[in-house]
Amino acid sequence: MANTQVDQSQVLPEYGPVTPADLRKAAWRHNLTLQWSWNYERMQALGFMWSILPILQRVSRTKEELIANMQRHLVFYNTNPAVGSPIIFGAACALEEKGQGEVADSLKVALMGPLAGIGDTIQAILLRPIVAVLAASLAMEGSWAGPLIMFIFGLCWFGLKFPQVTWGYKQGVSLVTTVAGGALEKVTEGATIMGLIVVGGFVPSIMAKVTTPIKFVRQVTVDGQLTEKVVELQPALDSILPYMIPLLIVGFAYWLLKARRQSPIKVLLWLTVLAFACSYLGIL
């Protein structure tokens, strides 16, 4: 009985069932502060631990148990903060609530890599450049809608984190099966195709000013008189294929990336050299 009294006296006041308020608090912490303590040693680990702390305080009976649970979540962790991490975090909360902390640790390690690839592809490589291109086009025309679009885009990404946390919480350990089954990969593939189509459609509007000033002077006979006629190359190219020069430049960059295996930095350097050379020679 003495040991029982001692054990009961050591029980933390926060210990008890996890409430919806705890889950909301943890979700807000994750979605707001995950990246605030990012570092080169463990990257998002400290932010993840701080986020899930309200759950750990509920499921840990003693201070020593709470410290051990916090240390478990201080191991290396890094994934996409907008798409991958909310799902993992929701599942980890569910597993901690069920007393399966070690399973939560394994789930984090197993999913942070695959979901980082999926999240980076959807958010950073596809959607963000598309929205940024649209916003930049409007801003270049003097429209206030450009920066507003970027602001709304950021708010939308933040809002989408919460249903991800809820979905991950409901999935729990079965989340591994869902990812392994290829469902998310199909979504990524479809988003990639759509993104490439949209980005390709922006090429003419972004590079519309890339034209050639080359002109030819020809002597022609008009009403029996010999006169000189100026023939501009750009209208002739437009009659064959509108925006031919921008498309050729984009094709050249794609060829360097895919066929020649050049890095994006080297491609930018090649395009810079090409721009200066064509400008100096009066070609573009």
Side-chain angles (χ1 to χ4, degrees):
M1 292 296 294
N3 292 335
T4 303
Q5 291 296 328
V6 171
D7 292 338
Q8 289 297 324
S9 65
Q10 293 179 348
V11 174
L12 295 174
E14 297 88 354
Y15 175 73
V18 176
T19 65
D22 297 327
L23 293 172
R24 288 194 296 268
K25 183 178 181 180
W28 273 99
R29 282 191 178 192
H30 174 273
N31 296 341
L32 277 174
T33 68
L34 177 67
Q35 296 278 80
W36 287 9
S37 54
W38 192 97
N39 59 83
Y40 284 103
E41 181 182 2
R42 300 181 185 181
M43 297 193 175
Q44 299 168 337
L46 186 57
F48 194 98
M49 187 278 294
W50 165 251
S51 303
I52 204 171
L53 185 57
I55 308 300
L56 300 181
Q57 290 173 329
R58 287 293 189 186
V59 301
S60 303
R61 292 180 59 89
T62 64
K63 181 178 180 181
E64 291 74 18
E65 185 178 348
L66 176 61
I67 292 173
N69 289 332
M70 293 170 65
Q71 289 176 339
R72 285 193 296 102
H73 287 287
L74 285 176
V75 297
F76 178 87
Y77 176 77
N78 188 52
T79 189
N80 184 279
V83 177
S85 192
I87 299 174
I88 297 175
F89 181 76
C93 289
L95 294 172
E96 291 287 355
E97 182 181 359
K98 296 177 181 178
Q100 300 177 345
E102 294 182 356
V103 180
D105 297 338
S106 301
L107 181 138
K108 288 168 59 180
V109 174
L111 295 184
M112 65 180 181
L115 289 182
I118 294 172
D120 291 346
T121 301
I122 294 177
Q123 184 205 21
I125 298 178
L126 295 178
L127 296 183
R128 183 181 293 172
I130 293 173
V131 175
V133 166
L134 175 60
S137 300
L138 294 173
M140 290 174 63
E141 296 176 359
S143 174
W144 55 267
L148 180 61
I149 287 175
M150 291 302 298
F151 178 74
I152 295 175
F153 178 69
L155 289 180
C156 290
W157 271 120
F158 179 75
L160 286 173
K161 292 180 180 181
F162 292 94
Q164 291 182 70
V165 173
T166 302
W167 185 73
Y169 179 79
K170 293 179 179 180
Q171 290 289 315
V173 71
S174 63
L175 182 62
V176 178
T177 305
T178 303
V179 175
L184 295 179
E185 292 183 0
K186 294 179 180 178
V187 174
T188 304
E189 182 180 0
T192 302
I193 296 173
M194 180 190 69
L196 291 175
I197 294 174
V198 174
V199 171
F202 277 118
V203 171
S205 61
I206 297 173
M207 303 178 64
K209 295 183 179 180
V210 181
T211 57
T212 177
I214 296 177
K215 300 177 181 179
F216 298 99
V217 178
R218 297 180 56 188
Q219 292 184 345
V220 296
T221 302
V222 179
D223 297 332
Q225 293 184 355
L226 187 63
T227 60
E228 293 184 349
K229 181 180 180 181
V230 178
V231 179
E232 297 182 0
L233 180 59
Q234 185 61 48
L237 295 177
D238 290 339
S239 64
I240 300 173
L241 178 64
Y243 304 105
M244 178 185 294
I245 295 177
L247 291 174
L248 289 175
I249 294 174
V250 173
F252 174 67
Y254 183 82
W255 176 76
L256 290 175
L257 288 168
K258 294 298 182 180
R260 305 301 300 177
R261 303 291 182 183
Q262 298 287 317
S263 66
I265 299 298
K266 290 183 178 180
V267 173
L268 289 175
L269 291 175
W270 276 110
L271 293 177
T272 302
V273 172
L274 179 64
F276 276 104
C278 292
S279 178
Y280 178 78
L281 298 174
I283 299 176
L284 296 178

mmCIF file of all heavy atoms in Angstrom, residues 71-96:
data_model
loop_
_atom_site.group_PDB
_atom_site.id
_atom_site.type_symbol
_atom_site.label_atom_id
_atom_site.label_comp_id
_atom_site.label_asym_id
_atom_site.label_seq_id
_atom_site.Cartn_x
_atom_site.Cartn_y
_atom_site.Cartn_z
ATOM 1 N N GLN A 71 12.042 12.419 -25.210
ATOM 2 C CA GLN A 71 13.319 12.073 -25.830
ATOM 3 C C GLN A 71 13.131 11.201 -27.060
ATOM 4 O O GLN A 71 13.904 11.287 -28.019
ATOM 5 C CB GLN A 71 14.220 11.381 -24.805
ATOM 6 C CG GLN A 71 14.737 12.316 -23.721
ATOM 7 C CD GLN A 71 15.547 11.588 -22.677
ATOM 8 O OE1 GLN A 71 15.429 10.362 -22.499
ATOM 9 N NE2 GLN A 71 16.378 12.321 -21.944
ATOM 10 N N ARG A 72 12.098 10.360 -27.043
ATOM 11 C CA ARG A 72 11.835 9.524 -28.222
ATOM 12 C C ARG A 72 11.551 10.376 -29.449
ATOM 13 O O ARG A 72 11.910 10.005 -30.571
ATOM 14 C CB ARG A 72 10.631 8.604 -27.966
ATOM 15 C CG ARG A 72 10.893 7.442 -27.061
ATOM 16 C CD ARG A 72 9.771 6.426 -27.109
ATOM 17 N NE ARG A 72 8.503 6.933 -26.625
ATOM 18 C CZ ARG A 72 7.500 7.308 -27.404
ATOM 19 N NH1 ARG A 72 7.620 7.255 -28.736
ATOM 20 N NH2 ARG A 72 6.366 7.751 -26.880
ATOM 21 N N HIS A 73 10.905 11.512 -29.264
ATOM 22 C CA HIS A 73 10.524 12.362 -30.390
ATOM 23 C C HIS A 73 11.578 13.420 -30.718
ATOM 24 O O HIS A 73 11.317 14.316 -31.533
ATOM 25 C CB HIS A 73 9.180 13.046 -30.103
ATOM 26 C CG HIS A 73 8.012 12.116 -30.195
ATOM 27 N ND1 HIS A 73 7.535 11.634 -31.405
ATOM 28 C CD2 HIS A 73 7.237 11.552 -29.233
ATOM 29 C CE1 HIS A 73 6.504 10.827 -31.180
ATOM 30 N NE2 HIS A 73 6.305 10.766 -29.874
ATOM 31 N N LEU A 74 12.741 13.302 -30.097
ATOM 32 C CA LEU A 74 13.830 14.228 -30.412
ATOM 33 C C LEU A 74 14.838 13.625 -31.378
ATOM 34 O O LEU A 74 15.885 14.219 -31.620
ATOM 35 C CB LEU A 74 14.545 14.674 -29.123
ATOM 36 C CG LEU A 74 13.777 15.685 -28.269
ATOM 37 C CD1 LEU A 74 14.535 15.975 -26.982
ATOM 38 C CD2 LEU A 74 13.553 16.981 -29.046
ATOM 39 N N VAL A 75 14.524 12.439 -31.911
ATOM 40 C CA VAL A 75 15.404 11.848 -32.926
ATOM 41 C C VAL A 75 15.192 12.585 -34.250
ATOM 42 O O VAL A 75 14.221 13.317 -34.433
ATOM 43 C CB VAL A 75 15.121 10.342 -33.082
ATOM 44 C CG1 VAL A 75 15.415 9.608 -31.788
ATOM 45 C CG2 VAL A 75 13.676 10.114 -33.508
ATOM 46 N N PHE A 76 16.109 12.366 -35.169
ATOM 47 C CA PHE A 76 16.075 13.071 -36.462
ATOM 48 C C PHE A 76 14.717 12.894 -37.142
ATOM 49 O O PHE A 76 14.180 11.796 -37.226
ATOM 50 C CB PHE A 76 17.175 12.533 -37.373
ATOM 51 C CG PHE A 76 17.186 13.158 -38.738
ATOM 52 C CD1 PHE A 76 17.873 14.333 -38.983
ATOM 53 C CD2 PHE A 76 16.495 12.568 -39.790
ATOM 54 C CE1 PHE A 76 17.885 14.909 -40.237
ATOM 55 C CE2 PHE A 76 16.493 13.133 -41.053
ATOM 56 C CZ PHE A 76 17.190 14.305 -41.270
ATOM 57 N N TYR A 77 14.203 14.019 -37.637
ATOM 58 C CA TYR A 77 12.909 13.993 -38.338
ATOM 59 C C TYR A 77 12.894 15.123 -39.357
ATOM 60 O O TYR A 77 13.227 16.274 -39.036
ATOM 61 C CB TYR A 77 11.753 14.180 -37.346
ATOM 62 C CG TYR A 77 10.388 14.272 -37.988
ATOM 63 C CD1 TYR A 77 9.744 13.134 -38.453
ATOM 64 C CD2 TYR A 77 9.752 15.496 -38.152
ATOM 65 C CE1 TYR A 77 8.491 13.208 -39.037
ATOM 66 C CE2 TYR A 77 8.495 15.586 -38.738
ATOM 67 C CZ TYR A 77 7.872 14.436 -39.179
ATOM 68 O OH TYR A 77 6.635 14.513 -39.762
ATOM 69 N N ASN A 78 12.512 14.804 -40.585
ATOM 70 C CA ASN A 78 12.428 15.833 -41.627
ATOM 71 C C ASN A 78 11.550 15.335 -42.765
ATOM 72 O O ASN A 78 11.782 14.260 -43.310
ATOM 73 C CB ASN A 78 13.824 16.181 -42.169
ATOM 74 C CG ASN A 78 13.783 17.379 -43.096
ATOM 75 O OD1 ASN A 78 13.250 18.425 -42.748
ATOM 76 N ND2 ASN A 78 14.341 17.241 -44.282
ATOM 77 N N THR A 79 10.537 16.109 -43.100
ATOM 78 C CA THR A 79 9.671 15.799 -44.229
ATOM 79 C C THR A 79 9.022 17.094 -44.693
ATOM 80 O O THR A 79 9.312 18.169 -44.153
ATOM 81 C CB THR A 79 8.609 14.752 -43.838
ATOM 82 O OG1 THR A 79 7.919 14.308 -44.993
ATOM 83 C CG2 THR A 79 7.627 15.326 -42.844
ATOM 84 N N ASN A 80 8.157 17.008 -45.692
ATOM 85 C CA ASN A 80 7.502 18.224 -46.169
ATOM 86 C C ASN A 80 6.543 18.742 -45.096
ATOM 87 O O ASN A 80 5.656 18.016 -44.656
ATOM 88 C CB ASN A 80 6.741 17.934 -47.463
ATOM 89 C CG ASN A 80 6.127 19.183 -48.070
ATOM 90 O OD1 ASN A 80 5.063 19.628 -47.657
ATOM 91 N ND2 ASN A 80 6.793 19.750 -49.056
ATOM 92 N N PRO A 81 6.679 20.000 -44.685
ATOM 93 C CA PRO A 81 5.852 20.506 -43.583
ATOM 94 C C PRO A 81 4.403 20.766 -43.958
ATOM 95 O O PRO A 81 3.547 20.856 -43.072
ATOM 96 C CB PRO A 81 6.551 21.822 -43.198
ATOM 97 C CG PRO A 81 7.248 22.261 -44.443
ATOM 98 C CD PRO A 81 7.661 20.999 -45.145
ATOM 99 N N ALA A 82 4.104 20.880 -45.238
ATOM 100 C CA ALA A 82 2.743 21.235 -45.652
ATOM 101 C C ALA A 82 1.910 20.025 -46.035
ATOM 102 O O ALA A 82 0.690 20.031 -45.863
ATOM 103 C CB ALA A 82 2.784 22.223 -46.823
ATOM 104 N N VAL A 83 2.532 18.991 -46.575
ATOM 105 C CA VAL A 83 1.782 17.827 -47.047
ATOM 106 C C VAL A 83 2.117 16.573 -46.243
ATOM 107 O O VAL A 83 1.237 15.887 -45.738
ATOM 108 C CB VAL A 83 2.040 17.577 -48.546
ATOM 109 C CG1 VAL A 83 1.326 16.318 -49.007
ATOM 110 C CG2 VAL A 83 1.593 18.774 -49.374
ATOM 111 N N GLY A 84 3.377 16.257 -46.067
ATOM 112 C CA GLY A 84 3.737 15.008 -45.417
ATOM 113 C C GLY A 84 3.599 15.010 -43.916
ATOM 114 O O GLY A 84 2.987 14.121 -43.311
ATOM 115 N N SER A 85 4.130 16.039 -43.262
ATOM 116 C CA SER A 85 4.202 16.026 -41.803
ATOM 117 C C SER A 85 2.842 16.052 -41.109
ATOM 118 O O SER A 85 2.663 15.364 -40.094
ATOM 119 C CB SER A 85 5.061 17.195 -41.317
ATOM 120 O OG SER A 85 5.371 17.055 -39.953
ATOM 121 N N PRO A 86 1.836 16.831 -41.565
ATOM 122 C CA PRO A 86 0.549 16.787 -40.866
ATOM 123 C C PRO A 86 -0.070 15.391 -40.810
ATOM 124 O O PRO A 86 -0.685 15.024 -39.801
ATOM 125 C CB PRO A 86 -0.322 17.750 -41.690
ATOM 126 C CG PRO A 86 0.643 18.688 -42.324
ATOM 127 C CD PRO A 86 1.844 17.860 -42.628
ATOM 128 N N ILE A 87 0.096 14.623 -41.879
ATOM 129 C CA ILE A 87 -0.449 13.269 -41.897
ATOM 130 C C ILE A 87 0.271 12.387 -40.884
ATOM 131 O O ILE A 87 -0.352 11.662 -40.105
ATOM 132 C CB ILE A 87 -0.342 12.675 -43.319
ATOM 133 C CG1 ILE A 87 -1.146 13.520 -44.314
ATOM 134 C CG2 ILE A 87 -0.815 11.234 -43.334
ATOM 135 C CD1 ILE A 87 -0.977 13.089 -45.756
ATOM 136 N N ILE A 88 1.602 12.447 -40.901
ATOM 137 C CA ILE A 88 2.392 11.660 -39.957
ATOM 138 C C ILE A 88 2.080 12.070 -38.525
ATOM 139 O O ILE A 88 1.946 11.225 -37.631
ATOM 140 C CB ILE A 88 3.894 11.837 -40.254
ATOM 141 C CG1 ILE A 88 4.226 11.294 -41.652
ATOM 142 C CG2 ILE A 88 4.745 11.157 -39.198
ATOM 143 C CD1 ILE A 88 5.660 11.547 -42.078
ATOM 144 N N PHE A 89 1.955 13.367 -38.305
ATOM 145 C CA PHE A 89 1.698 13.863 -36.957
ATOM 146 C C PHE A 89 0.352 13.360 -36.426
ATOM 147 O O PHE A 89 0.251 12.950 -35.262
ATOM 148 C CB PHE A 89 1.721 15.391 -36.960
ATOM 149 C CG PHE A 89 1.499 16.002 -35.607
ATOM 150 C CD1 PHE A 89 2.506 16.014 -34.668
ATOM 151 C CD2 PHE A 89 0.271 16.558 -35.280
ATOM 152 C CE1 PHE A 89 2.305 16.569 -33.409
ATOM 153 C CE2 PHE A 89 0.056 17.116 -34.031
ATOM 154 C CZ PHE A 89 1.081 17.126 -33.096
ATOM 155 N N GLY A 90 -0.678 13.402 -37.263
ATOM 156 C CA GLY A 90 -1.977 12.908 -36.833
ATOM 157 C C GLY A 90 -1.941 11.442 -36.460
ATOM 158 O O GLY A 90 -2.511 11.034 -35.436
ATOM 159 N N ALA A 91 -1.246 10.631 -37.263
ATOM 160 C CA ALA A 91 -1.128 9.207 -36.962
ATOM 161 C C ALA A 91 -0.329 8.982 -35.684
ATOM 162 O O ALA A 91 -0.664 8.112 -34.868
ATOM 163 C CB ALA A 91 -0.473 8.484 -38.130
ATOM 164 N N ALA A 92 0.741 9.765 -35.488
ATOM 165 C CA ALA A 92 1.551 9.631 -34.270
ATOM 166 C C ALA A 92 0.731 9.970 -33.026
ATOM 167 O O ALA A 92 0.861 9.304 -31.985
ATOM 168 C CB ALA A 92 2.782 10.531 -34.363
ATOM 169 N N CYS A 93 -0.121 10.986 -33.110
ATOM 170 C CA CYS A 93 -0.987 11.333 -31.978
ATOM 171 C C CYS A 93 -1.917 10.179 -31.630
ATOM 172 O O CYS A 93 -2.117 9.857 -30.445
ATOM 173 C CB CYS A 93 -1.804 12.582 -32.312
ATOM 174 S SG CYS A 93 -0.845 14.107 -32.365
ATOM 175 N N ALA A 94 -2.489 9.552 -32.645
ATOM 176 C CA ALA A 94 -3.397 8.428 -32.402
ATOM 177 C C ALA A 94 -2.670 7.260 -31.753
ATOM 178 O O ALA A 94 -3.192 6.626 -30.819
ATOM 179 C CB ALA A 94 -4.037 7.990 -33.714
ATOM 180 N N LEU A 95 -1.456 6.976 -32.216
ATOM 181 C CA LEU A 95 -0.696 5.851 -31.670
ATOM 182 C C LEU A 95 -0.238 6.136 -30.244
ATOM 183 O O LEU A 95 -0.239 5.237 -29.393
ATOM 184 C CB LEU A 95 0.496 5.544 -32.579
ATOM 185 C CG LEU A 95 0.119 5.018 -33.970
ATOM 186 C CD1 LEU A 95 1.341 4.939 -34.871
ATOM 187 C CD2 LEU A 95 -0.542 3.639 -33.857
ATOM 188 N N GLU A 96 0.165 7.371 -29.973
ATOM 189 C CA GLU A 96 0.549 7.721 -28.597
ATOM 190 C C GLU A 96 -0.656 7.594 -27.661
ATOM 191 O O GLU A 96 -0.524 7.145 -26.527
ATOM 192 C CB GLU A 96 1.105 9.139 -28.557
ATOM 193 C CG GLU A 96 2.453 9.324 -29.236
ATOM 194 C CD GLU A 96 3.599 8.718 -28.448
ATOM 195 O OE1 GLU A 96 3.375 8.226 -27.327
ATOM 196 O OE2 GLU A 96 4.737 8.729 -28.962
#
